[in-house]
Every structure is written in structure tokens, then in C-alpha cells.
Amino acid sequence: MTHSNSLLNKIKVLLVEDVQADRIMITRAINNAGFDCEIKYAENIADALVLSLAHNFDCILLDYYYPTAGNGLDFIKTYQSRGGQTPIVIVTSHNEISLAVEVMKSGASDYICKDELSPEHLIKSFNYILRLKIAEESRQAAERALIESELRMKSIIERSPVIVFTIDEGGFFKLFKGKGADNINIIHEHIIGQNIQDVSHLTPVRYHDYKKALTSNELSHRVEISNHFFDVNYIPVQNHLGKITSMMGVAIDITDFKRNEVELKNTIVLAETESKVKQQFLANMSHELRTPIHGIICLIDFVLKTSLQEDQQKYLDLAKRSADSLLFIVNDILDLSKIQASKMTFEEISFDLTDTLQSSTGAFIPSAIEKGIEVNLNINENVPSTVCGDPARLTQIINNILGNAIKFTERGAVDVTVFCKEKNEYHSMIVFEIKDSGMGIPAHILPTIFEIFSQAGNDISRKYGGTGLGLTISKQLVEQQNGNIAVQSTVNEGSVFTFSIPYKINSEAKKLNKNNIPLEMNNTITKKLNILVAEDNDINRFIIKKMMDDWGFDYQFAITGADAIEKAASATYDMILMDIEMPEMNGYDATAFIRKELPAGKNNIPIIAMTGHAMNGEREKCIETGMNDYISKPFQGDELKKIIIDCMNQNSNQNVITLNPPPVSQRFTNLDFLIEISDGNEVFFKEFITLFLNSAPAAVADMETALKNKDWEMMRQVAHKIKPSFNYVGLKELNKAAARIEDLSKKLSELDEIPALINTIKTTCEIAYLELRQEIKIAA
């Protein structure tokens, strides 16, 4: 017979029985009860005492009568007197009630007659015994846990800077213990038994805080005593009637924390001061370097547009290249400083990924052709055409890595491969792989190739130039967009740089059917601009004078901020170009004075900041000061002219300002990319320009119609369609404007920006149309 309902099937039993037949019968009953038993036997009281005290049994089955001295009752008394606690079941042939009562009163757990012995009876008895065992084990475990907990608590209190206290209903300390008391030289025994009112001044447990805690649920208070700070927590203890019968609490010594807090604050202040000094140094360095670079580049450009001998042209080209390299170095240092200061910002705008890749890689085609190598762009069909992110940072990363690949490749090709690794309805992980057949990177250099100023060899900077910052900046730009970058390389075989960036996905723009709408060209100046230029650098004044003369503007110069204020107050100007760093009074202060102090009609004149500062936040600072726009040196003439026109159109109530077709030296369009892809095919070149001249006016007209009807979906589609065309003819800023219109129209946010953006596109396009018509010799 087996038993599946017992509490525990594995038990250890001591069977004390002098009759062999009875031992066999009892053993068989135990086994038939379904218990897995380990049974030991004793034939007399003496042997039973030895075994029972030497082993841990779960149960003792004890006969009552024995032929030698002693009986079951004698065993029980002796066993228990020696500390025995195992449950005892009397198994006897004597069915006497009085005997059963006597042995049960003496400590037996059960009484079974042998003629009634059965597996079922044993099951009940064993289960009862095992319940007692489990209960005892639980009690012992709880007792041990309590002791361990008390020991741990005692250890914590003795080692931690705390004071644990209890106060009875009469206000007397019953407990006052902890290392925190040692910190302020208090002896625990001197406080216990004392009334809080008498010793309050000696301890962090203050009488008035204690009284306040008696009227509330809990109270926390900070106390200073003996040059130590304590956070003291009071917890009232209530009885079942809700009456407060005592107070318990803990006082924590936070002196070290307070000192660390002060030190940390001092460290933060010092770090912030150092950061401000560093930022100011970089801003000053930016201004001091970019201002002369601006002068060098612009002057070289002016000379290059004059008649030159062949060797003069060559020397000036080299000088221009050197100036561009110097500007590149300055920009790298500034970018790195922004990244290290966590000041680098990232846009999240909708942009055409294919257009961005074509533009960024296409810019390297001329230098690749010059070296006799190929640049191949392969975009997998699973790559979404439109994504949401920062196209400028992507272009910067590609420029750094692709520029290096072309620089270090003397033969073969550079392949740019783009594919989508992961994609769902909302996001895509785009992988960019740039593989070259160049000199490769030694294995011992690879682990540090992305570190600051790290290059493939000591002679790299001498032979190829560069700052050694490009890959560092690229890595930081990738990682700050939650991407990854890696490199594999073999010396004399080439390198593969792979980076991935997650982008949000925008739905592809739907195509529109357009009707070609002719645009009436206006090549007259509706208003001749008179501009005040505040600039203290004589070279910069010479450069701006040349630009103003080419554009047909009237202008006057101011050498200081104070001079600019005086001239702005005494004469009427359409605009002020304001340098930031000037003697006596800088551009910020001069602008603030004009906005606050000059009379109405003069205090709202458009002001454009014109500065060598290029640090992050500089444009925002200029706008906050009251300026309308910002341009950093060095700048191209067409950049400044575009900002002037945009600013005047946004701030003038007159007709949109248009200009006569600019000379070739001041062109808005740049056809280098179109010339490159035309590969000498004049028919293709003219057909493409004609296509642009037909489609762009229609697109502008459609945007104006969509604006009038507030049809933002149509606006988005038109902007998306015309956007790539601007890049092909070098109108990069219009590409950005169209992308902005597309994004705003899709999000239905900041829609009040769109009219000015359309105005910018229309105004710039009118000039671009004239340039392009002249290019293909078509009369306006």
C-alpha cells in the first residue's frame, strides 16, 4: 500500500521492540504506509537511549513493556531529561486507557495498540508528527533569521553614522545607539533613561522637534551639532486606539555628504568657468582666424576674375587652395570643440536621401577624375527615397570619409554603397559603405584610427595634409545620431569604412501633373539699396566695397559700433551690415542701442550680423540681441547677396526686390555638377537647362496657388518634386528652402514660415533664370 497524501514520504524511524515477530510486523506496516523509511532498531531501553541521542530521528516507535529493567515511561522521562525532542509513539499490546493517558501526559505523541496497527493508522500518526516537525523547523528558522537580522542591524548601527533611538510615552530615552553618537562624543549609557527635555541640547534629537512629531504622522528635520549635520526622522508609534504611545526614529550623520556636496559644487563652478574660458578662447580664435581667411579668399577670387598670365593663374589657384585648407582646419577644430562640449545640434527634417548622396559624392568627381580614379555610387532599391534626419551632418560624414578615400587612393576606384539593413513602418537603419583601393591602414593603427589626431602614419600629414580630426568628428557625429561606425583595412589593398544611422521614414511624395506656366521675367531693380556697413577691418571693407559696387548698391562705412549708431541716427539706410568685434563698442551693444534708443522708423532697420565667430549658438545670440540674420566669415558674395535680398523681402512692404542679371563673377547658379555629368555633351547640357527653365516657374506658381488655397498636401508634393532640380543647377539654398516647405507642409506646423520661403525661392529663381538663359543663349 502506498500513501500519496502524506506531508513527507522520507522519514527516519527508531523502532524499539524486543520481540522479533513484532518488529517484522511493525516494519511491514510502515512500508505499506507508503513512506520511504530509514529504520534503526533497538531491543531494550538502554540501547534505545544511546541511539536516540546519537542520531536525529523523525519518530520513535516505542514498546511499553520489556523483560529487562525499565519500561516506555522510564524511557520517555530519561530521554526528555537529556534534551531529546523527537516525537514518541507508544506501540504496545496493552489496550489500557489509563496507560495511554499516563504516557500521553508524560510527553508521548500517540498511543497505538498492536492489534489495531495498520498503514492507515501509521499514516495519520506520521503526518501529525511531521506537521510538528515542520512547525518546529519553521519556528527555529524564524528564530535564526530574527537573530541574524538583529546581528546585522546591530552591525549596521555600530558601523554606520546613525543614531537609532526610542522614547517612551513619558519622554524618556529607552534606546540611544549608533556610531553617529560616537562622532559627536556622546556615551550611549548617559542618554538612556534620561528625559529628552533634559538632554536635548546634547543630542541631535531636539525637544521641540519631538513635540512637533507628537502632533503629526512623521517628521524629518536637519540639525547641526558639534560641527556635524544630522537628518533626524521621527516616527510616532500608535496603539490600536490610535494613541501615540512612544516615539522611534533615526538620526543620520550627513556631514561627509554635505562636504562632498560643497566640493562638487565648487568643482562644477570651476569646470563651468573653465568651459566658458575655453569657449571664449575658441570664439575669439574663430573670429581672429576666419576674418583674415575671409580677406585672403575673397581677394584671391577678385584677382582670379581678372586677366592673368598662365603662371599667375597657377600661383593664385595654389594660394586659394591653401586658404581653403586653412579654413577647413579651423572648421574641424570648431566642430570638435562643439562635440566635446556637447553643443553639437542635429536637425530632424525631411530630406531626399538619394539627392543628398548624389550631391555629396558628385562634389568629389572632379578631384577623382584629376587623379584618374573612379567614384561609383550604388544605392540599393530597398533604401527609402525620403527620410527624416540631418542631411548636413550626413554630408559632413561622407565628405570626411570619402575625401580620405580619394586622397589615399592612387589608382582603381572608390565605391560608395548604400543599403537598408532594418526597416519597419516608421524607422530604417541605413548602412553606408565606402570602399577604396588605396594604401590601406596598418593593423596596429586600426584600433586608434578614430582617435583625435590619429592618422595611418607619421608621414601622412606631411604628404597629404589634413588635421587628423576628420574620422574623429565622423565617429562622434555617427554615434550622436545613435549609429555605429567601423573600419576594415589591408595594407596596399584598401580600406572599407562602414557606418549606419537610424532614420525615421517619411512616405514618398506623390507625383503631380504640371502645366507649364510662363513666368514674366523682371530684370529691373524696384528699389536701389542704401546700406550702412559697420566694419573695422580695412581688408574686409575693401572686399565689401567691391561686392557693393558690383551689385550697384549705395553704401557707407562705419569703423566702430558708436560710429554706426551715429550714422544710423543721422541718415536713412535700408539695412545695416554689422560686424560683431569692433573697437569702442561691439556689434551686439550697437544693435541693442539702435533697437532701444533710436526713434521709431530707425530702430527697426534690418541688421545682419557679419562676423568671424562661428561657434554653436552664435546665430541665436545675434537674433536674441535684435539682429535679423547672421553670416559668418569667410563668405561668398552670392551668399551675402542672398541674405540681403531675403532680409529686405521679409522686412519691406514694397514689391519684392529683384536685381539685374549679375556678372559671371557673382552668379547664383553653379553648373559645375551639370557640366561634369554632361561629359561634353552640349545637347544634353542645354536640354537639361531648358527643362529646368520650363518646370521651375510652374512649380513656383503651383506653390503660390497651394498657398492661396491652403492646400498643404499639394504644397508638399510640389516642394518635393522641385527640390532636387535646385541642386543640379547649384541652387543649394533653394534646395534647403524647398525641403523646409515640404517638411512644414507635411507636419502642418509653423505654416507662417512658408510665404517667406516661397518668396525667397521666387526671388532667387528670377535671377537664376536670367543666368541660365544667358548660359544657353536664349533671350529672356
Side-chain angles (χ1 to χ4, degrees), residues 545-556:
K545 178 181 183 300
K546 177 71 167 60
M547 293 178 179
M548 296 288 176
D549 289 337
D550 287 345
W551 302 335
F553 293 168
D554 290 334
Y555 55 90
Q556 274 192 312

Side-chain angles (χ1 to χ4, degrees), residues 432-446:
F432 306 84
E433 182 184 276
I434 300 177
K435 180 180 181 181
D436 65 64
S437 57
M439 59 187 292
I441 304 169
H444 70 281
I445 298 293
L446 277 176

Side-chain angles (χ1 to χ4, degrees), residues 667-707:
R667 298 184 67 87
F668 271 28
T669 56
N670 184 332
L671 302 179
D672 291 348
F673 180 72
L674 186 58
I675 292 171
E676 185 68 37
I677 63 174
S678 298
D679 197 22
N681 188 328
E682 186 176 348
V683 174
F684 172 85
F685 180 76
K686 290 184 178 182
E687 285 181 350
F688 189 94
I689 292 178
T690 302
L691 178 63
F692 177 83
L693 289 172
N694 289 332
S695 61
V700 173
D702 285 344
M703 282 193 284
E704 291 180 323
T705 299
L707 179 63

Side-chain angles (χ1 to χ4, degrees), residues 107-224:
S109 298
D110 202 356
Y111 185 94
I112 303 174
C113 291
K114 291 180 180 178
D115 57 358
E116 295 177 356
L117 184 67
S118 67
E120 287 76 13
H121 202 150
L122 284 175
I123 288 170
K124 292 179 182 180
S125 186
F126 282 0
N127 280 343
Y128 171 70
I129 289 170
L130 293 176
R131 284 192 185 97
L132 292 178
K133 177 185 177 183
I134 292 171
E136 177 62 19
E137 289 177 347
S138 298
R139 185 193 66 77
Q140 291 177 357
E143 188 174 295
R144 287 194 301 271
L146 180 60
I147 293 172
E148 291 174 1
S149 177
E150 289 177 350
L151 290 174
R152 282 196 297 269
M153 181 62 69
K154 181 179 179 181
S155 176
I156 291 171
I157 292 173
E158 290 176 348
R159 297 180 182 182
S160 302
V162 301
I163 301 173
V164 178
F165 62 89
T166 61
I167 305 172
D168 67 12
E169 190 174 8
F172 293 92
F173 280 102
K174 295 301 181 182
L175 175 67
F176 191 90
K177 194 170 186 180
K179 186 180 178 183
D182 299 336
N183 292 345
I184 52 177
N185 300 317
I186 292 180
I187 299 175
H188 310 92
E189 290 78 7
H190 291 175
I191 302 299
I192 296 175
Q194 298 290 327
N195 191 283
I196 182 174
Q197 194 168 2
D198 297 331
V199 296
S200 175
H201 63 287
L202 300 175
T203 78
V205 185
R206 298 300 168 85
Y207 178 68
H208 62 276
D209 294 333
Y210 162 74
K211 294 291 288 183
K212 188 182 294 185
L214 289 174
T215 62
S216 60
N217 292 327
E218 289 187 20
L219 177 70
S220 296
H221 200 73
R222 182 164 295 181
V223 176
E224 182 182 3

Side-chain angles (χ1 to χ4, degrees), residues 10 14 130 138 140 205 250 330 399 420 529 558 585 697:
K10 179 69 176 179
L14 173 61
L130 293 176
S138 298
Q140 291 177 357
V205 185
V250 59
V330 172
N399 286 350
C420 183
L529 300 182
M585 179 183 287

Side-chain angles (χ1 to χ4, degrees), residues 114 162 195 206 263 297 331-332 567 571 579 626 630 706 719 764:
K114 291 180 180 178
V162 301
N195 191 283
R206 298 300 168 85
E263 291 177 2
I297 292 175
N331 289 337
D332 267 0
K567 285 187 166 80
D579 187 26
Y630 159 95
T764 307

Side-chain angles (χ1 to χ4, degrees), residues 298-323:
C298 289
L299 290 173
I300 292 173
D301 283 339
F302 290 157
V303 178
L304 284 172
K305 291 159 187 171
T306 64
S307 298
L308 298 170
Q309 297 178 7
E310 184 177 348
D311 56 346
Q312 292 175 324
Q313 179 79 34
K314 179 180 178 181
Y315 297 150
L316 285 170
D317 284 338
L318 292 173
K320 177 68 159 50
R321 188 176 302 176
S322 297

Side-chain angles (χ1 to χ4, degrees), residues 266-280:
N266 291 336
T267 301
I268 292 173
V269 170
L270 179 61
E272 289 177 347
T273 302
E274 291 177 347
S275 177
K276 289 179 181 177
V277 171
K278 177 182 176 182
Q279 293 298 312
Q280 187 60 46

